[in-house]
Amino acid sequence: AENVKIIPNPASTQINISTSLPINNVVLKNSLGQTVMTSSQTYIDVANLSAGIYMVIIETHQGTISKPVIIVR
């Protein structure tokens, strides 16, 4: 279930979640643990997020996978 990649990382305009698992929901959280975005897509526009480290929480039918992503400006 760990076969998930976030491309590109670091990212500035968008991220793409590469996985063979069906995605139910994606949540982006900032370093304070606040939810800054939710999506059900594998392609996420991050152009208006501040620079920093975010956690991408990917919810699938097999469970939840968390991956860090760095947003650069």
Side-chain angles (χ1 to χ4, degrees):
E2 281 296 313
N3 194 12
V4 174
K5 292 190 177 84
I6 309 241
I7 306 162
N9 191 6
S12 60
T13 55
Q14 81 275 338
I15 57 173
N16 193 55
I17 299 164
S18 172
T19 177
S20 57
L21 297 172
I23 292 175
N24 298 337
N25 194 36
V26 178
V27 178
L28 256 72
K29 293 196 174 194
N30 64 17
S31 58
L32 302 175
Q34 299 164 319
T35 298
V36 292
M37 192 178 300
T38 59
S39 176
S40 57
Q41 306 298 314
T42 57
Y43 170 91
I44 299 172
D45 183 350
V46 295
N48 46 12
L49 293 180
S50 300
I53 299 174
Y54 294 80
M55 286 305 293
V56 182
I57 296 132
I58 303 138
E59 298 169 6
T60 74
H61 67 285
Q62 291 187 357
T64 302
I65 301 154
S66 297
K67 296 274 185 180
V69 65
I70 299 168
I71 305 297
V72 292
R73 289 285 159 257

Short mmCIF file of all heavy atoms in Angstrom, two decimals:
data_model
loop_
_atom_site.label_atom_id
_atom_site.label_comp_id
_atom_site.label_asym_id
_atom_site.label_seq_id
_atom_site.Cartn_x
_atom_site.Cartn_y
_atom_site.Cartn_z
N ALA A 1 0.82 -1.21 0.00
CA ALA A 1 0.00 0.00 0.00
C ALA A 1 0.85 1.26 0.00
O ALA A 1 0.34 2.34 -0.14
CB ALA A 1 -0.92 0.01 1.22
N GLU A 2 2.18 1.08 0.15
CA GLU A 2 3.06 2.25 0.21
C GLU A 2 3.56 2.67 -1.17
O GLU A 2 4.47 3.47 -1.28
CB GLU A 2 4.27 1.96 1.12
CG GLU A 2 3.94 2.08 2.58
CD GLU A 2 3.54 3.50 2.99
OE1 GLU A 2 4.24 4.45 2.63
OE2 GLU A 2 2.53 3.64 3.67
N ASN A 3 2.99 2.11 -2.22
CA ASN A 3 3.45 2.42 -3.57
C ASN A 3 2.81 3.71 -4.06
O ASN A 3 2.03 3.71 -5.00
CB ASN A 3 3.14 1.26 -4.51
CG ASN A 3 3.91 1.39 -5.81
OD1 ASN A 3 4.81 2.20 -5.92
ND2 ASN A 3 3.54 0.58 -6.78
N VAL A 4 3.13 4.80 -3.38
CA VAL A 4 2.57 6.11 -3.70
C VAL A 4 3.71 7.10 -3.87
O VAL A 4 4.61 7.15 -3.04
CB VAL A 4 1.61 6.59 -2.59
CG1 VAL A 4 1.15 8.01 -2.84
CG2 VAL A 4 0.43 5.66 -2.45
N LYS A 5 3.69 7.85 -4.97
CA LYS A 5 4.70 8.88 -5.18
C LYS A 5 4.01 10.23 -5.38
O LYS A 5 2.94 10.30 -5.95
CB LYS A 5 5.52 8.57 -6.44
CG LYS A 5 6.41 7.34 -6.31
CD LYS A 5 7.36 7.26 -7.49
CE LYS A 5 8.31 6.10 -7.35
NZ LYS A 5 7.74 4.84 -7.84
N ILE A 6 4.66 11.28 -4.88
CA ILE A 6 4.20 12.65 -5.09
C ILE A 6 5.21 13.31 -6.02
O ILE A 6 6.40 13.36 -5.71
CB ILE A 6 4.12 13.42 -3.76
CG1 ILE A 6 3.34 12.59 -2.78
CG2 ILE A 6 3.61 14.83 -3.99
CD1 ILE A 6 2.11 13.13 -2.23
N ILE A 7 4.75 13.73 -7.18
CA ILE A 7 5.63 14.26 -8.21
C ILE A 7 5.12 15.64 -8.63
O ILE A 7 3.93 15.77 -8.88
CB ILE A 7 5.64 13.32 -9.44
CG1 ILE A 7 6.00 11.89 -9.01
CG2 ILE A 7 6.58 13.82 -10.51
CD1 ILE A 7 5.62 10.85 -10.03
N PRO A 8 5.93 16.65 -8.78
CA PRO A 8 7.33 16.71 -8.32
C PRO A 8 7.38 17.00 -6.84
O PRO A 8 6.39 17.42 -6.25
CB PRO A 8 7.89 17.89 -9.11
CG PRO A 8 6.71 18.80 -9.29
CD PRO A 8 5.51 17.90 -9.42
N ASN A 9 8.52 16.78 -6.23
CA ASN A 9 8.71 17.10 -4.82
C ASN A 9 10.18 17.44 -4.62
O ASN A 9 11.00 16.55 -4.72
CB ASN A 9 8.31 15.91 -3.95
CG ASN A 9 8.24 16.26 -2.48
OD1 ASN A 9 8.37 17.40 -2.08
ND2 ASN A 9 8.02 15.25 -1.66
N PRO A 10 10.52 18.71 -4.43
CA PRO A 10 9.68 19.89 -4.16
C PRO A 10 8.83 20.31 -5.37
O PRO A 10 9.18 20.01 -6.50
CB PRO A 10 10.68 20.99 -3.82
CG PRO A 10 12.01 20.32 -3.65
CD PRO A 10 11.93 19.02 -4.35
N ALA A 11 7.73 21.01 -5.07
CA ALA A 11 6.80 21.46 -6.09
C ALA A 11 6.53 22.95 -5.92
O ALA A 11 6.71 23.49 -4.84
CB ALA A 11 5.49 20.69 -5.98
N SER A 12 6.11 23.59 -7.01
CA SER A 12 5.76 25.01 -6.89
C SER A 12 4.36 25.32 -7.42
O SER A 12 3.68 26.17 -6.87
CB SER A 12 6.79 25.88 -7.61
OG SER A 12 6.85 25.54 -8.98
N THR A 13 3.91 24.63 -8.46
CA THR A 13 2.60 24.95 -9.03
C THR A 13 1.57 23.84 -8.86
O THR A 13 0.42 24.09 -8.57
CB THR A 13 2.71 25.31 -10.52
OG1 THR A 13 3.36 24.23 -11.20
CG2 THR A 13 3.49 26.59 -10.71
N GLN A 14 1.99 22.59 -9.05
CA GLN A 14 1.05 21.49 -8.87
C GLN A 14 1.79 20.25 -8.42
O GLN A 14 3.00 20.14 -8.59
CB GLN A 14 0.28 21.19 -10.16
CG GLN A 14 1.01 20.35 -11.18
CD GLN A 14 1.91 21.15 -12.08
OE1 GLN A 14 1.73 22.35 -12.24
NE2 GLN A 14 2.89 20.50 -12.69
N ILE A 15 1.04 19.34 -7.81
CA ILE A 15 1.58 18.02 -7.49
C ILE A 15 0.68 16.97 -8.13
O ILE A 15 -0.50 17.20 -8.35
CB ILE A 15 1.70 17.77 -5.97
CG1 ILE A 15 0.36 17.93 -5.27
CG2 ILE A 15 2.77 18.65 -5.35
CD1 ILE A 15 0.38 17.53 -3.80
N ASN A 16 1.28 15.85 -8.44
CA ASN A 16 0.54 14.74 -8.99
C ASN A 16 0.79 13.53 -8.09
O ASN A 16 1.93 13.24 -7.75
CB ASN A 16 0.99 14.45 -10.42
CG ASN A 16 0.04 13.50 -11.12
OD1 ASN A 16 -1.16 13.76 -11.20
ND2 ASN A 16 0.56 12.40 -11.62
N ILE A 17 -0.28 12.87 -7.69
CA ILE A 17 -0.17 11.69 -6.84
C ILE A 17 -0.19 10.47 -7.74
O ILE A 17 -1.16 10.23 -8.45
CB ILE A 17 -1.31 11.65 -5.81
CG1 ILE A 17 -1.22 12.88 -4.91
CG2 ILE A 17 -1.24 10.36 -4.99
CD1 ILE A 17 -2.47 13.16 -4.14
N SER A 18 0.93 9.75 -7.74
CA SER A 18 1.07 8.58 -8.59
C SER A 18 0.86 7.33 -7.77
O SER A 18 1.67 7.00 -6.89
CB SER A 18 2.47 8.59 -9.22
OG SER A 18 2.69 7.39 -9.90
N THR A 19 -0.25 6.64 -8.01
CA THR A 19 -0.56 5.41 -7.30
C THR A 19 -1.50 4.56 -8.14
O THR A 19 -2.28 5.08 -8.93
CB THR A 19 -1.19 5.70 -5.92
OG1 THR A 19 -1.52 4.44 -5.32
CG2 THR A 19 -2.43 6.55 -6.02
N SER A 20 -1.42 3.26 -7.93
CA SER A 20 -2.35 2.37 -8.62
C SER A 20 -3.63 2.17 -7.81
O SER A 20 -4.59 1.60 -8.30
CB SER A 20 -1.68 1.01 -8.86
OG SER A 20 -1.25 0.48 -7.62
N LEU A 21 -3.63 2.67 -6.56
CA LEU A 21 -4.81 2.50 -5.71
C LEU A 21 -5.88 3.53 -6.04
O LEU A 21 -5.55 4.68 -6.33
CB LEU A 21 -4.42 2.67 -4.24
CG LEU A 21 -3.44 1.67 -3.66
CD1 LEU A 21 -3.02 2.11 -2.27
CD2 LEU A 21 -4.05 0.28 -3.61
N PRO A 22 -7.15 3.16 -5.99
CA PRO A 22 -8.21 4.17 -6.13
C PRO A 22 -8.18 5.11 -4.92
O PRO A 22 -8.11 4.65 -3.78
CB PRO A 22 -9.50 3.35 -6.15
CG PRO A 22 -9.09 1.93 -6.32
CD PRO A 22 -7.68 1.81 -5.85
N ILE A 23 -8.19 6.40 -5.18
CA ILE A 23 -8.12 7.40 -4.12
C ILE A 23 -9.52 7.87 -3.76
O ILE A 23 -10.29 8.28 -4.62
CB ILE A 23 -7.24 8.59 -4.57
CG1 ILE A 23 -5.79 8.12 -4.70
CG2 ILE A 23 -7.35 9.75 -3.60
CD1 ILE A 23 -4.85 9.18 -5.24
N ASN A 24 -9.85 7.80 -2.47
CA ASN A 24 -11.14 8.31 -1.99
C ASN A 24 -11.06 9.80 -1.72
O ASN A 24 -11.98 10.54 -2.03
CB ASN A 24 -11.56 7.58 -0.71
CG ASN A 24 -11.76 6.09 -0.93
OD1 ASN A 24 -12.01 5.65 -2.04
ND2 ASN A 24 -11.64 5.32 0.13
N ASN A 25 -9.96 10.22 -1.09
CA ASN A 25 -9.84 11.61 -0.68
C ASN A 25 -8.38 11.94 -0.46
O ASN A 25 -7.60 11.07 -0.08
CB ASN A 25 -10.63 11.83 0.62
CG ASN A 25 -10.84 13.29 0.93
OD1 ASN A 25 -11.03 14.10 0.03
ND2 ASN A 25 -10.81 13.64 2.19
N VAL A 26 -8.03 13.21 -0.70
CA VAL A 26 -6.67 13.69 -0.44
C VAL A 26 -6.80 14.94 0.42
O VAL A 26 -7.60 15.83 0.12
CB VAL A 26 -5.94 14.04 -1.76
CG1 VAL A 26 -4.55 14.59 -1.46
CG2 VAL A 26 -5.85 12.83 -2.67
N VAL A 27 -6.02 15.00 1.50
CA VAL A 27 -6.02 16.15 2.40
C VAL A 27 -4.60 16.68 2.48
O VAL A 27 -3.66 15.91 2.66
CB VAL A 27 -6.52 15.75 3.81
CG1 VAL A 27 -6.48 16.95 4.75
CG2 VAL A 27 -7.93 15.17 3.74
N LEU A 28 -4.44 17.99 2.31
CA LEU A 28 -3.16 18.64 2.52
C LEU A 28 -3.20 19.38 3.84
O LEU A 28 -4.13 20.15 4.08
CB LEU A 28 -2.86 19.65 1.40
CG LEU A 28 -1.86 19.21 0.34
CD1 LEU A 28 -2.50 18.17 -0.54
CD2 LEU A 28 -1.38 20.39 -0.45
N LYS A 29 -2.20 19.11 4.69
CA LYS A 29 -2.12 19.80 5.99
C LYS A 29 -0.80 20.56 6.07
O LYS A 29 0.22 20.07 5.59
CB LYS A 29 -2.21 18.81 7.14
CG LYS A 29 -3.58 18.16 7.21
CD LYS A 29 -3.84 17.47 8.52
CE LYS A 29 -5.27 16.97 8.56
NZ LYS A 29 -5.71 16.59 9.88
N ASN A 30 -0.86 21.73 6.70
CA ASN A 30 0.36 22.52 6.86
C ASN A 30 1.13 22.04 8.08
O ASN A 30 0.74 21.08 8.74
CB ASN A 30 0.04 24.02 6.92
CG ASN A 30 -0.80 24.40 8.12
OD1 ASN A 30 -0.91 23.66 9.09
ND2 ASN A 30 -1.40 25.57 8.05
N SER A 31 2.24 22.71 8.40
CA SER A 31 3.10 22.27 9.50
C SER A 31 2.43 22.40 10.86
O SER A 31 2.88 21.81 11.83
CB SER A 31 4.41 23.05 9.48
OG SER A 31 4.13 24.45 9.58
N LEU A 32 1.34 23.15 10.94
CA LEU A 32 0.58 23.27 12.20
C LEU A 32 -0.52 22.22 12.30
O LEU A 32 -1.26 22.19 13.27
CB LEU A 32 -0.05 24.67 12.30
CG LEU A 32 0.92 25.86 12.25
CD1 LEU A 32 0.17 27.18 12.24
CD2 LEU A 32 1.88 25.79 13.43
N GLY A 33 -0.64 21.39 11.28
CA GLY A 33 -1.67 20.36 11.28
C GLY A 33 -3.02 20.85 10.80
O GLY A 33 -4.01 20.14 10.90
N GLN A 34 -3.06 22.08 10.27
CA GLN A 34 -4.33 22.63 9.77
C GLN A 34 -4.56 22.15 8.34
O GLN A 34 -3.64 22.14 7.52
CB GLN A 34 -4.28 24.16 9.79
CG GLN A 34 -4.09 24.74 11.17
CD GLN A 34 -3.68 26.20 11.13
OE1 GLN A 34 -2.86 26.61 10.31
NE2 GLN A 34 -4.23 27.00 12.03
N THR A 35 -5.79 21.78 8.04
CA THR A 35 -6.14 21.37 6.68
C THR A 35 -6.19 22.60 5.79
O THR A 35 -6.91 23.55 6.07
CB THR A 35 -7.49 20.63 6.67
OG1 THR A 35 -7.37 19.46 7.48
CG2 THR A 35 -7.90 20.25 5.26
N VAL A 36 -5.39 22.58 4.73
CA VAL A 36 -5.38 23.72 3.80
C VAL A 36 -6.08 23.38 2.48
O VAL A 36 -6.43 24.28 1.72
CB VAL A 36 -3.94 24.22 3.53
CG1 VAL A 36 -3.34 24.83 4.79
CG2 VAL A 36 -3.05 23.11 3.00
N MET A 37 -6.30 22.10 2.22
CA MET A 37 -6.93 21.72 0.96
C MET A 37 -7.42 20.28 1.05
O MET A 37 -6.78 19.45 1.68
CB MET A 37 -5.91 21.86 -0.18
CG MET A 37 -6.49 21.78 -1.56
SD MET A 37 -5.20 22.01 -2.81
CE MET A 37 -4.61 23.64 -2.39
N THR A 38 -8.55 20.02 0.41
CA THR A 38 -9.00 18.64 0.23
C THR A 38 -9.36 18.45 -1.23
O THR A 38 -9.75 19.40 -1.92
CB THR A 38 -10.23 18.31 1.11
OG1 THR A 38 -11.28 19.20 0.76
CG2 THR A 38 -9.92 18.43 2.58
N SER A 39 -9.19 17.24 -1.71
CA SER A 39 -9.44 16.96 -3.12
C SER A 39 -9.73 15.47 -3.28
O SER A 39 -9.33 14.67 -2.44
CB SER A 39 -8.21 17.33 -3.96
OG SER A 39 -8.39 16.97 -5.31
N SER A 40 -10.41 15.12 -4.34
CA SER A 40 -10.55 13.70 -4.68
C SER A 40 -9.79 13.40 -5.97
O SER A 40 -9.92 12.31 -6.53
CB SER A 40 -12.04 13.35 -4.84
OG SER A 40 -12.62 14.19 -5.82
N GLN A 41 -8.98 14.35 -6.41
CA GLN A 41 -8.21 14.20 -7.64
C GLN A 41 -6.77 13.80 -7.34
O GLN A 41 -6.27 14.05 -6.25
CB GLN A 41 -8.21 15.53 -8.42
CG GLN A 41 -9.58 16.09 -8.70
CD GLN A 41 -10.41 15.16 -9.55
OE1 GLN A 41 -9.94 14.64 -10.56
NE2 GLN A 41 -11.64 14.93 -9.15
N THR A 42 -6.09 13.24 -8.34
CA THR A 42 -4.68 12.92 -8.18
C THR A 42 -3.80 14.10 -8.57
O THR A 42 -2.61 14.11 -8.30
CB THR A 42 -4.28 11.70 -9.03
OG1 THR A 42 -4.61 11.97 -10.40
CG2 THR A 42 -5.02 10.45 -8.56
N TYR A 43 -4.40 15.09 -9.23
CA TYR A 43 -3.67 16.30 -9.64
C TYR A 43 -4.16 17.45 -8.77
O TYR A 43 -5.36 17.70 -8.71
CB TYR A 43 -3.98 16.56 -11.12
CG TYR A 43 -3.51 17.90 -11.63
CD1 TYR A 43 -2.24 18.02 -12.20
CD2 TYR A 43 -4.31 19.02 -11.54
CE1 TYR A 43 -1.80 19.25 -12.68
CE2 TYR A 43 -3.87 20.25 -12.01
CZ TYR A 43 -2.63 20.35 -12.58
OH TYR A 43 -2.19 21.56 -13.04
N ILE A 44 -3.23 18.10 -8.07
CA ILE A 44 -3.62 19.15 -7.12
C ILE A 44 -2.85 20.42 -7.40
O ILE A 44 -1.61 20.41 -7.48
CB ILE A 44 -3.39 18.68 -5.67
CG1 ILE A 44 -4.25 17.44 -5.39
CG2 ILE A 44 -3.71 19.80 -4.67
CD1 ILE A 44 -3.97 16.78 -4.08
N ASP A 45 -3.57 21.51 -7.56
CA ASP A 45 -2.97 22.83 -7.78
C ASP A 45 -2.51 23.39 -6.44
O ASP A 45 -3.31 23.57 -5.53
CB ASP A 45 -4.02 23.74 -8.42
CG ASP A 45 -3.48 25.12 -8.76
OD1 ASP A 45 -2.35 25.46 -8.34
OD2 ASP A 45 -4.18 25.86 -9.46
N VAL A 46 -1.20 23.65 -6.33
CA VAL A 46 -0.65 24.17 -5.07
C VAL A 46 -0.05 25.56 -5.27
O VAL A 46 0.70 26.04 -4.42
CB VAL A 46 0.40 23.21 -4.47
CG1 VAL A 46 -0.24 21.89 -4.07
CG2 VAL A 46 1.56 22.98 -5.43
N ALA A 47 -0.40 26.22 -6.37
CA ALA A 47 0.22 27.50 -6.72
C ALA A 47 -0.04 28.59 -5.69
O ALA A 47 0.77 29.49 -5.53
CB ALA A 47 -0.26 27.96 -8.10
N ASN A 48 -1.17 28.53 -4.97
CA ASN A 48 -1.45 29.60 -4.01
C ASN A 48 -1.15 29.20 -2.57
O ASN A 48 -1.56 29.88 -1.64
CB ASN A 48 -2.89 30.11 -4.16
CG ASN A 48 -3.89 28.99 -4.26
OD1 ASN A 48 -3.54 27.84 -4.01
ND2 ASN A 48 -5.12 29.29 -4.63
N LEU A 49 -0.42 28.10 -2.37
CA LEU A 49 0.02 27.75 -1.02
C LEU A 49 1.35 28.43 -0.71
O LEU A 49 2.17 28.62 -1.60
CB LEU A 49 0.20 26.23 -0.89
CG LEU A 49 -1.05 25.37 -0.96
CD1 LEU A 49 -0.68 23.91 -0.81
CD2 LEU A 49 -2.06 25.77 0.09
N SER A 50 1.56 28.78 0.54
CA SER A 50 2.84 29.36 0.95
C SER A 50 3.93 28.31 0.92
O SER A 50 3.65 27.11 1.03
CB SER A 50 2.72 29.91 2.37
OG SER A 50 1.72 30.90 2.44
N ALA A 51 5.17 28.76 0.79
CA ALA A 51 6.31 27.85 0.83
C ALA A 51 6.34 27.14 2.17
O ALA A 51 6.00 27.72 3.21
CB ALA A 51 7.60 28.62 0.59
N GLY A 52 6.76 25.89 2.17
CA GLY A 52 6.87 25.14 3.42
C GLY A 52 6.68 23.66 3.19
O GLY A 52 6.57 23.19 2.05
N ILE A 53 6.66 22.92 4.29
CA ILE A 53 6.47 21.48 4.23
C ILE A 53 5.02 21.17 4.59
O ILE A 53 4.49 21.66 5.58
CB ILE A 53 7.42 20.74 5.19
CG1 ILE A 53 8.88 21.05 4.80
CG2 ILE A 53 7.15 19.24 5.18
CD1 ILE A 53 9.90 20.51 5.77
N TYR A 54 4.38 20.38 3.74
CA TYR A 54 2.99 19.97 3.94
C TYR A 54 2.93 18.46 4.00
O TYR A 54 3.77 17.77 3.41
CB TYR A 54 2.12 20.48 2.79
CG TYR A 54 1.99 21.98 2.74
CD1 TYR A 54 3.00 22.77 2.19
CD2 TYR A 54 0.87 22.63 3.25
CE1 TYR A 54 2.90 24.15 2.16
CE2 TYR A 54 0.76 24.01 3.22
CZ TYR A 54 1.78 24.76 2.67
OH TYR A 54 1.67 26.12 2.64
N MET A 55 1.91 17.95 4.68
CA MET A 55 1.65 16.51 4.64
C MET A 55 0.49 16.27 3.69
O MET A 55 -0.53 16.95 3.76
CB MET A 55 1.29 15.98 6.03
CG MET A 55 2.46 15.86 6.99
SD MET A 55 3.84 14.87 6.38
CE MET A 55 3.11 13.24 6.32
N VAL A 56 0.70 15.33 2.78
CA VAL A 56 -0.36 14.91 1.87
C VAL A 56 -0.90 13.60 2.42
O VAL A 56 -0.18 12.62 2.53
CB VAL A 56 0.19 14.71 0.44
CG1 VAL A 56 -0.94 14.32 -0.51
CG2 VAL A 56 0.90 15.97 -0.04
N ILE A 57 -2.16 13.63 2.82
CA ILE A 57 -2.79 12.45 3.42
C ILE A 57 -3.74 11.86 2.37
O ILE A 57 -4.70 12.52 1.95
CB ILE A 57 -3.52 12.80 4.72
CG1 ILE A 57 -2.47 13.27 5.75
CG2 ILE A 57 -4.27 11.60 5.29
CD1 ILE A 57 -2.85 14.53 6.42
N ILE A 58 -3.40 10.66 1.93
CA ILE A 58 -4.14 10.02 0.84
C ILE A 58 -4.99 8.90 1.44
O ILE A 58 -4.45 7.96 2.03
CB ILE A 58 -3.16 9.46 -0.21
CG1 ILE A 58 -2.28 10.60 -0.73
CG2 ILE A 58 -3.90 8.78 -1.35
CD1 ILE A 58 -0.84 10.23 -0.90
N GLU A 59 -6.30 9.03 1.31
CA GLU A 59 -7.21 8.01 1.86
C GLU A 59 -7.63 7.07 0.74
O GLU A 59 -8.19 7.51 -0.27
CB GLU A 59 -8.43 8.69 2.47
CG GLU A 59 -8.06 9.61 3.64
CD GLU A 59 -9.22 10.49 4.10
OE1 GLU A 59 -10.35 10.32 3.59
OE2 GLU A 59 -8.98 11.35 4.96
N THR A 60 -7.34 5.78 0.92
CA THR A 60 -7.73 4.76 -0.05
C THR A 60 -8.56 3.70 0.68
O THR A 60 -8.65 3.72 1.91
CB THR A 60 -6.50 4.08 -0.68
OG1 THR A 60 -5.91 3.19 0.29
CG2 THR A 60 -5.46 5.09 -1.13
N HIS A 61 -9.11 2.78 -0.10
CA HIS A 61 -9.89 1.71 0.53
C HIS A 61 -9.00 0.78 1.35
O HIS A 61 -9.48 0.02 2.17
CB HIS A 61 -10.68 0.93 -0.53
CG HIS A 61 -9.81 0.16 -1.47
ND1 HIS A 61 -9.08 0.76 -2.48
CD2 HIS A 61 -9.53 -1.17 -1.54
CE1 HIS A 61 -8.40 -0.16 -3.14
NE2 HIS A 61 -8.65 -1.33 -2.60
N GLN A 62 -7.67 0.84 1.14
CA GLN A 62 -6.74 0.00 1.90
C GLN A 62 -6.18 0.72 3.12
O GLN A 62 -5.38 0.16 3.85
CB GLN A 62 -5.59 -0.45 1.00
CG GLN A 62 -6.00 -1.42 -0.07
CD GLN A 62 -4.82 -1.98 -0.84
OE1 GLN A 62 -3.67 -1.61 -0.60
NE2 GLN A 62 -5.10 -2.88 -1.77
N GLY A 63 -6.58 1.97 3.31
CA GLY A 63 -6.08 2.70 4.47
C GLY A 63 -5.59 4.08 4.07
O GLY A 63 -5.80 4.53 2.95
N THR A 64 -4.90 4.72 5.00
CA THR A 64 -4.45 6.09 4.81
C THR A 64 -2.94 6.12 4.71
O THR A 64 -2.24 5.48 5.50
CB THR A 64 -4.93 6.96 5.99
OG1 THR A 64 -6.35 6.88 6.05
CG2 THR A 64 -4.52 8.41 5.81
N ILE A 65 -2.44 6.86 3.72
CA ILE A 65 -1.01 7.00 3.49
C ILE A 65 -0.67 8.48 3.63
O ILE A 65 -1.35 9.33 3.04
CB ILE A 65 -0.63 6.50 2.09
CG1 ILE A 65 -1.03 5.02 1.93
CG2 ILE A 65 0.86 6.69 1.82
CD1 ILE A 65 -1.28 4.60 0.51
N SER A 66 0.37 8.78 4.39
CA SER A 66 0.81 10.17 4.54
C SER A 66 2.19 10.35 3.93
O SER A 66 3.09 9.53 4.17
CB SER A 66 0.88 10.56 6.02
OG SER A 66 -0.39 10.48 6.60
N LYS A 67 2.35 11.40 3.13
CA LYS A 67 3.63 11.69 2.49
C LYS A 67 3.91 13.18 2.62
O LYS A 67 3.02 14.00 2.43
CB LYS A 67 3.57 11.36 0.99
CG LYS A 67 3.34 9.89 0.68
CD LYS A 67 4.66 9.17 0.65
CE LYS A 67 4.44 7.71 0.22
NZ LYS A 67 5.68 6.97 0.18
N PRO A 68 5.17 13.53 2.93
CA PRO A 68 5.51 14.95 2.98
C PRO A 68 5.74 15.50 1.57
O PRO A 68 6.23 14.79 0.69
CB PRO A 68 6.80 14.99 3.80
CG PRO A 68 7.40 13.64 3.57
CD PRO A 68 6.28 12.68 3.33
N VAL A 69 5.39 16.77 1.37
CA VAL A 69 5.72 17.45 0.12
C VAL A 69 6.22 18.84 0.49
O VAL A 69 5.75 19.46 1.43
CB VAL A 69 4.51 17.53 -0.85
CG1 VAL A 69 3.39 18.36 -0.29
CG2 VAL A 69 4.94 18.05 -2.22
N ILE A 70 7.24 19.28 -0.24
CA ILE A 70 7.82 20.61 0.00
C ILE A 70 7.32 21.55 -1.10
O ILE A 70 7.46 21.24 -2.29
CB ILE A 70 9.36 20.53 -0.01
CG1 ILE A 70 9.83 19.59 1.11
CG2 ILE A 70 9.96 21.94 0.15
CD1 ILE A 70 11.29 19.22 1.00
N ILE A 71 6.74 22.66 -0.68
CA ILE A 71 6.30 23.69 -1.62
C ILE A 71 7.35 24.80 -1.60
O ILE A 71 7.71 25.29 -0.53
CB ILE A 71 4.91 24.26 -1.24
CG1 ILE A 71 3.88 23.12 -1.11
CG2 ILE A 71 4.46 25.32 -2.24
CD1 ILE A 71 3.63 22.35 -2.36
N VAL A 72 7.86 25.13 -2.78
CA VAL A 72 8.89 26.16 -2.90
C VAL A 72 8.33 27.35 -3.68
O VAL A 72 7.44 27.19 -4.51
CB VAL A 72 10.17 25.62 -3.55
CG1 VAL A 72 10.85 24.61 -2.65
CG2 VAL A 72 9.87 25.00 -4.91
N ARG A 73 8.87 28.51 -3.41
CA ARG A 73 8.46 29.74 -4.10
C ARG A 73 9.66 30.39 -4.74
O ARG A 73 10.75 30.32 -4.24
CB ARG A 73 7.80 30.72 -3.11
CG ARG A 73 6.44 30.25 -2.65
CD ARG A 73 5.40 30.45 -3.76
NE ARG A 73 4.24 29.61 -3.59
CZ ARG A 73 4.02 28.50 -4.30
NH1 ARG A 73 4.85 28.08 -5.20
NH2 ARG A 73 2.92 27.80 -4.11
#
